[in-house]
Amino acid sequence: MLLISCPNCGSRDETEFHYGGQAHVAYPENPSALNDREWAEFLFYRDNTKGAFAERWLHSTGCRQWFNMLRDTVTYEIQAVYPMGSPRPDTPGPAPESGTASTAADSTTTGTAAPKISGTSISGTSTSSTSTTAPEGATK
Amino acid sequence: MAETAAPATTRQKDLSLRVSPAAQLRAAFETDSVRGLVELSEVPFLTMVGLRVNRNSDAGQRVASVTGGLPAGCGGVAGPGSTSVLWLGPEEFLVVAPTEAHESLGGDLIQALREALADGEGQVVDLSANRTTFELTGPRSRAVLEKGCSLDLHPRVLKAGTALSTEIGNIPVVLWKTGEDTFRIFPRASFADFLGRWLLDAMREYASPEVP
């Protein structure tokens, strides 16, 4: 059983949550321009990552809000919980400071209660997608 | 088309015809409650209103002035006296008020909330029939709940005056700790029978003498 830290409610049992699949799957900008193959890939094709995986979760029994979570698919370690709409905290980007996630409470689903935890403690120096340093509060 | 249904206002309100979701368990609640240790009863027909409003918006502040405040975060309960507002989500609240507050009995709570919201962003929905209320009271009530609830119910964590959405016996409920040894449990009406029987079963061991 996972103990998941909901940004609004704190730590709750996994049974209170529903899994929402892979996070950061952007809706195509111009869906009508896609061919069948591309449309099928948008709808059905998902990563099958071994290691850190960004996924969506819904606290369906509690506050009924969606949030994103970075979870290791091997160890089940929850590395980060961050609001919908903010970038993945551990993404190694071109700029060194790209590893810092936005802490702005601009999420449409979490309202005013932006989580205190975001991936800010992960420095941009990690080049692999599997970061070993969990952000503060990830296992709260 | 001719009017086929009589206007509802002319119908006599016969309150004795109402059946609460756990009415069939009332006798069992009476006989299986363990006096002084743990007692279970149904508090039927409370007025409940679903509120969806941003508490920082103008509409939220107007609504808060009617209810006596809106809770700020998870577990919060606001409101003085008999009308309370339970936090369900960042912009979702449940108003719990006595039966007489319902507009069918002449109360004006729901109308006042609607008028306070006006054309602001949000919802005021009468949810009185959505959930029923169980009241579990007595020094063993925490032990009964702990058989099917994963929350930490110890008094140093769960203070009186806290309401949380969770699961009890795999049934989604709102659990409201109203006093040191008193819990109000709000299951949806269709789960009331199951949860009532589940709680009676969990209470049964306290009717027997304690095994040293």
Side-chain angles (χ1 to χ4, degrees):
Chain A
M1 173 94 69
L2 290 176
L3 198 59
I4 297 175
S5 177
C6 168
N8 295 308
C9 305
S11 287
R12 298 291 182 90
D13 273 2
E14 179 188 354
T15 50
E16 293 194 4
F17 295 83
H18 274 96
Y19 183 65
Q22 182 180 353
H24 310 302
V25 180
Y27 192 78
E29 273 192 22
N30 190 5
S32 57
L34 300 187
N35 62 32
D36 286 354
R37 169 84 197 172
E38 290 164 333
W39 184 244
E41 286 189 358
F42 163 69
L43 283 183
F44 306 118
Y45 283 53
R46 294 293 180 265
D47 294 342
N48 186 17
T49 310
K50 183 177 184 182
F53 187 52
E55 54 200 12
R56 301 178 299 179
W57 285 82
L58 170 68
H59 191 192
S60 43
T61 310
C63 58
R64 311 206 297 183
Q65 303 296 309
W66 286 93
F67 58 93
N68 286 334
M69 193 162 95
L70 200 62
R71 182 180 63 93
D72 193 304
T73 55
V74 179
T75 64
Y76 287 88
E77 183 199 3
I78 297 167
Q79 299 176 344
V81 175
Y82 56 103
M84 301 296 281
S86 55
R88 178 176 165 145
D90 72 341
T91 307
E97 67 274 14
S98 67
T100 54
S102 165
T103 55
D106 57 351
S107 164
T108 54
T109 53
T110 51
T112 56
K116 296 173 289 297
I117 42 179
S118 61
T120 48
S121 67
I122 297 180
S123 68
T125 55
S126 69
T127 49
S128 73
S129 62
T130 53
S131 171
T132 51
T133 48
E136 182 191 353
T139 56
K140 185 181 74 173
Chain B
M1 289 290 284
E3 283 182 357
T4 51
T9 49
T10 63
R11 199 185 303 155
Q12 285 288 337
K13 290 195 181 71
D14 188 351
L15 299 183
S16 65
L17 291 178
R18 297 187 303 181
V19 179
S20 69
Q24 71 280 15
L25 296 175
R26 190 175 303 146
F29 287 172
E30 274 294 313
T31 56
D32 292 1
S33 284
V34 188
R35 302 289 159 219
L37 286 179
V38 55
E39 299 173 32
L40 179 63
S41 58
E42 187 189 15
V43 187
F45 310 123
L46 289 186
T47 301
M48 298 188 207
V49 189
L51 273 183
R52 297 202 80 142
V53 68
N54 184 340
R55 65 191 292 276
N56 297 319
S57 66
D58 288 345
Q61 278 160 10
R62 289 199 302 271
V63 169
S65 68
V66 173
T67 60
L70 293 175
C74 181
V77 178
S82 55
T83 301
S84 301
V85 191
L86 279 55
W87 188 94
L88 295 184
E91 297 187 0
E92 186 175 11
F93 308 94
L94 181 69
V95 183
V96 181
T99 312
E100 304 78 50
H102 196 268
E103 54 193 353
S104 66
L105 299 175
D108 60 352
L109 172 70
I110 302 173
Q111 193 55 39
L113 287 171
R114 279 197 196 110
E115 282 164 11
L117 182 69
D119 54 354
E121 216 170 67
Q123 284 179 348
V124 173
V125 184
D126 177 12
L127 297 178
S128 302
N130 183 28
R131 297 172 185 269
T132 189
T133 308
F134 289 150
E135 194 158 72
L136 191 69
T137 178
R140 294 289 185 197
S141 49
R142 174 161 72 94
V144 168
L145 293 176
E146 279 172 348
K147 296 179 184 188
C149 182
S150 64
L151 290 178
D152 189 351
L153 302 180
H154 193 281
R156 77 174 159 250
V157 175
L158 187 70
K159 311 278 189 220
T162 306
L164 297 167
S165 317
T166 183
E167 289 181 355
I168 294 173
N170 295 328
I171 303 300
V173 299
V174 180
L175 177 67
W176 180 14
K177 186 172 181 179
T178 50
E180 281 312 313
D181 284 327
T182 310
F183 294 89
R184 281 195 168 186
I185 305 163
F186 301 96
R188 294 207 169 82
S190 52
F191 292 122
D193 182 76
F194 176 90
L195 186 65
R197 290 176 198 276
W198 188 94
L199 286 167
L200 286 177
D201 184 49
M203 288 158 56
R204 188 154 297 141
E205 65 166 297
Y206 302 106
S208 311
E210 195 169 340
V211 178

